[in-house]
Amino acid sequence: MIRRAKGTRDILPPESRLWAAVEEQARSVFGGLSYEEIRLPVMEPTELFVRGVGEGTDIVSKEMFTFPDRKGRSLTLRPEGTAGVARAFIEEGLFQRPQPVRLLYIGPMFRYEKMQRGRYRQFAQIGIELLGAATPQADVEVLMALHMFLEALGFDDLVIRLNNLGDPEDRPRFIAGLKRELASHKDELCSDCHRRWDENPLRLLDCKVPRCRELMLNTTPVAEVVSDEARAHVEEVSAGLTALGIPVQSAPRLVRGLDYYLRTAFEIVSPHLGEDTAIGGGGRYDRLISDLGGPQVPGIGFAIGEDRLIDVLPSGFRDRVLGVRPVVVLPAADGAETAAMKLARSLVEHGLEVRNEVTGRSLRAGLKWAAKVGARAVVILGPDELAVGEATVRDMDSGEQRRVELERVAEELTAQD
Ligand code: AMP
């Protein structure tokens, strides 16, 4: 037997319905705010991520699926969505459209990570990007959109954690201060932190090792050393969200695994997954487009991990989606097949979910099968019914049966809804 590649998953029905429903909800909420879908390649030139996400990040240094094509060009399966959006924004000239540009993406991402709950090598993200607006209002809209989406799914216990990473100009000062504060404890830091110390010191704050974490708690938060402009920006975002009744938690040591974020940086955490397994995250990236060779266009966005989101989906939404039960159409007479197929077509056209019996089961076996697949009703086309242009509609919960004219079956079944 050939098994799926490590870290990939098969999403089978009916679970796949949840994925479709979540994506539909995303299109509806984000679409309502004019975020339009952009469909991008899953493979990009490796250089895009090296320059975009940052060479010193875990994602680029350890987690990419990188391979040469047949001509020796280095390609990478995208580990995240924003770099590709930025590339397309530049390459397709989206900066020439009326600004700002609002984009939505949904699709698979790839990271070579150690497997654990909520961590896969192929996973899906739903993300939005707002490009061409540098105001705090843009951040507020993006976070409001996130909040609306999560509310539409029925979440009421998710927390948005918000930090201020300042501008790139603030960073050397912050990092120098951080290193000064940690210097006397440097030998207590884990080996990963020793590597981060030189390669990506901001990520020191993100270490999960208990002793490192303890030491970080005593350091000065980045938000305290940022410029007045950066401070005012994030304070306005925070105030804007509060005014909208959207709860945010200040997270002074939140940093993200991608280098491009500045000022506003945030994560969404669920009490069911813990703070180390965020459902989504994002932030502002005003230098990314220009760093990739494009014009000076600011941006802000986030990505939600769809696998994790579905893992903790509220039961109300889950039950509503999975609770849809089919109507079985059961031809139980010689020559009933065409009538059954016509009826199935008409029921579907009336918005019902139909499951045809096409294996030639007898009436008895067909009813048993209908119960197994969770049918709410079975429409039986037996010889007697067929002779008079009728069908028997059997309610699978009550066991009640009624003869109904073929043309009225759809009406009868939709009336029960
Ligand atoms: P990031 O692009 O690292 O900010 O990740 C954004 C979101 O994508 C995370 O909060 C997760 O929900 C999801 N995510 C990231 N990496 C993985 C993974 N390896 N497996 C599943 N979900 C992931």
Side-chain angles (χ1 to χ4, degrees):
M1 181 173 52
I2 298 172
R3 294 179 183 278
R4 60 179 184 269
K6 196 167 173 193
T8 63
R9 305 207 287 159
D10 300 317
I11 314 275
L12 309 176
E15 180 81 2
S16 54
R17 288 181 178 218
L18 294 172
W19 288 69
V22 160
E23 289 165 14
E24 197 181 307
Q25 196 60 253
R27 289 195 170 87
S28 155
V29 173
F30 299 134
L33 283 163
S34 292
Y35 289 82
E36 290 201 81
E37 188 167 10
I38 183 165
R39 293 180 179 235
L40 295 173
V42 294
M43 58 184 181
E44 296 272 8
T46 302
E47 191 197 353
L48 173 66
F49 304 111
V50 174
R51 282 177 53 192
V53 177
E55 205 157 10
T57 60
D58 282 356
I59 293 180
V60 171
S61 66
K62 304 197 286 207
E63 296 172 359
M64 293 204 303
F65 281 90
T66 295
F67 52 94
D69 72 5
R70 286 174 184 275
K71 293 263 171 66
R73 289 167 292 223
S74 182
L75 297 175
T76 291
L77 297 180
R78 63 180 182 192
E80 59 97 55
T82 305
V85 169
R87 190 227 4 100
F89 188 83
I90 301 165
E91 186 173 354
E92 309 293 347
L94 295 184
F95 49 86
Q96 284 158 347
R97 296 191 180 189
Q99 301 292 296
V101 171
R102 292 176 167 90
L103 299 168
L104 160 70
Y105 63 84
I106 299 176
M109 307 291 161
F110 305 83
R111 293 184 196 172
Y112 204 107
E113 293 203 78
K114 252 201 232 109
M115 288 283 297
Q116 46 183 281
R117 181 178 176 196
R119 206 164 283 278
Y120 309 101
R121 292 188 178 169
Q122 175 174 341
F123 57 97
Q125 286 187 341
I126 300 175
I128 65 170
E129 313 285 359
L130 173 50
L131 295 130
T135 62
Q137 276 320 302
D139 307 35
V140 171
E141 177 187 293
V142 164
L143 278 155
M144 178 183 79
L146 173 59
H147 188 252
M148 286 171 70
F149 172 57
L150 296 172
E151 277 211 319
L153 296 177
F155 283 103
D156 58 7
D157 56 359
L158 296 183
V159 178
I160 298 176
R161 307 174 67 236
L162 176 69
N163 196 15
N164 187 350
L165 297 181
D167 290 317
E169 294 72 25
D170 301 327
R171 210 139 305 162
R173 190 157 22 98
F174 169 69
I175 284 162
L178 182 70
K179 286 186 172 176
R180 215 177 314 116
E181 289 175 341
L182 288 172
S184 58
H185 298 283
K186 193 176 169 188
D187 48 348
E188 295 169 53
L189 295 173
C190 72
S191 57
D192 273 344
C193 278
H194 276 108
R195 189 176 47 79
R196 292 181 187 123
W197 187 277
D198 297 312
E199 286 176 13
N200 198 352
L202 201 61
R203 296 287 292 174
L204 287 166
L205 294 173
D206 206 22
C207 188
K208 310 286 184 266
V209 175
R211 180 59 187 149
C212 299
R213 206 172 240 198
E214 218 171 83
L215 290 169
M216 300 311 154
L217 281 178
N218 295 319
T219 59
T220 306
V222 54
E224 286 181 23
V225 303
V226 306
S227 69
D228 291 345
E229 293 81 15
R231 176 169 311 147
H233 181 98
V234 178
E235 278 175 6
E236 252 188 78
V237 175
S238 201
L241 291 168
T242 306
L244 290 170
I246 298 170
V248 275
Q249 214 177 67
S250 157
R253 287 177 186 80
L254 182 149
V255 287
R256 316 238 37 255
L258 308 102
D259 277 353
Y260 48 66
Y261 290 120
L262 49 82
R263 297 195 177 188
T264 314
F266 54 88
E267 269 178 4
I268 311 107
V269 292
S270 157
H272 305 296
L273 283 178
E275 278 194 11
D276 293 338
T277 319
I279 288 190
R284 185 160 271 292
Y285 49 85
D286 293 352
R287 312 288 170 92
L288 177 61
I289 307 270
S290 55
D291 283 352
L292 291 173
Q296 297 269 352
V297 176
I300 174 148
F302 63 76
I304 296 169
E306 202 174 349
D307 306 69
R308 290 186 197 170
L309 186 75
I310 285 168
D311 194 21
V312 293
L313 210 52
S315 55
F317 187 87
R318 183 175 270 276
D319 295 346
R320 203 161 52 246
V321 173
L322 297 180
V324 178
R325 298 163 67 194
V327 170
V328 159
V329 176
L330 181 58
D334 282 343
E337 292 79 9
T338 300
M341 207 56 85
K342 274 187 182 163
L343 183 66
R345 179 168 65 189
S346 136
L347 296 184
V348 172
E349 282 165 1
H350 279 82
L352 291 159
E353 194 182 302
V354 168
R355 197 170 298 209
N356 272 329
E357 204 309 297
V358 291
T359 65
R361 282 186 176 89
S362 67
L363 176 62
R364 233 172 83 90
L367 285 172
K368 243 170 132 176
W369 169 73
K372 247 189 227 160
V373 301
R376 67 173 173 97
V378 180
V379 184
I380 303 159
L381 290 140
D384 299 348
E385 291 93 334
L386 216 56
V388 289
E390 290 180 353
T392 295
V393 177
R394 180 186 174 93
D395 183 303
M396 290 300 278
D397 294 328
S398 65
E400 232 174 76
Q401 297 200 161
R402 242 169 317 165
R403 288 280 284 263
V404 179
E405 284 167 48
L406 281 175
E407 302 80 67
R408 289 202 45 257
V409 173
E411 204 182 303
E412 172 84 11
L413 286 167
T414 42
Q416 289 174 11
D417 281 347

